[in-house]
């Protein structure tokens, strides 16, 4: 299992116990059309500059606590996993060494949550 990937079950568990910083890297329009509950929208094109913001600047802009470089509960998601993989690369280059991404994306999230 790739340590940089979060499975659907892991994601559900993290959300359930509220131990997650979930970032949706889709466009604002895509985010509005559907996202995983609790996800904060940071479009991929803005991610690098957003992760470089000061703690106060990040909180002012996104209304959530800024992620820390050593946090192990940072998860990126998009529609199908491609942009979240790029987000993971960007965050790792900036020193967020324990960040991960939800490879299945919003598409898998919807499919698996409709299976109940």
């Amino acid at each position: 299992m790739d340590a940089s990937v979060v499975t659907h079950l892991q994601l559900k568990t993290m959300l359930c116990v509220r131990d997650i910083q979930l970032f949706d890297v889709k466009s604002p329009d895509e985010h509005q059309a559907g996202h995983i509950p609790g996800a904060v929208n940071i479009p991929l094109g803005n991610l690098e500059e957003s992760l470089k913001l000061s703690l106060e600047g990040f909180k002012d802009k996104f209304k959530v606590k800024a992620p820390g470089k050593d946090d192990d509960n940072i998860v990126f998601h998009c529609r199908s996993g491609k942009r979240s993989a790029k987000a993971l690369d960007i965050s790792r280059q900036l020193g967020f060494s324990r960040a991960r991404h939800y490879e299945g994306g919003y598409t898998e999230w919807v499919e698996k949550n409709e299976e109940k």
Side-chain angles (χ1 to χ4, degrees):
M1 185 72 188
D2 184 344
S4 67
V5 172
V6 172
T7 65
H8 180 259
L9 186 59
Q10 288 171 317
L11 182 60
K12 282 189 85 152
T13 301
M14 292 172 83
L15 286 165
C16 190
V17 299
R18 299 182 188 277
D19 182 23
I20 191 166
Q21 297 176 80
L22 182 62
F23 299 105
D24 178 356
V25 295
K26 301 190 310 279
S27 72
D29 287 345
E30 287 176 287
H31 180 78
Q32 285 294 333
H35 59 273
I36 297 169
V40 174
N41 186 216
I42 306 178
L44 183 61
N46 301 344
L47 183 66
E48 185 170 353
E49 69 184 58
S50 297
L51 290 176
K52 289 179 176 176
L53 289 170
S54 68
L55 297 179
E56 298 80 23
F58 191 94
K59 190 165 173 57
D60 286 347
K61 186 167 185 172
F62 299 107
K63 310 300 180 224
V64 294
K65 181 176 133 325
K69 299 223 174 178
D70 292 327
D71 292 352
D72 66 356
N73 64 349
I74 300 166
V75 179
F76 298 103
H77 95 82
C78 61
R79 187 179 53 81
S80 64
K82 289 182 179 67
R83 285 174 282 181
S84 60
K86 287 181 183 162
L88 184 65
D89 288 344
I90 290 167
S91 66
R92 293 269 171 101
Q93 287 169 11
L94 293 174
F96 294 87
S97 59
R98 300 172 78 188
R100 294 177 282 172
H101 84 114
Y102 176 41
E103 198 171 43
Y106 185 66
T107 302
E108 181 183 89
W109 176 262
V110 170
E111 286 169 5
K112 294 223 173 189
N113 287 331
E114 286 177 351
E115 287 174 7
K116 292 177 184 173

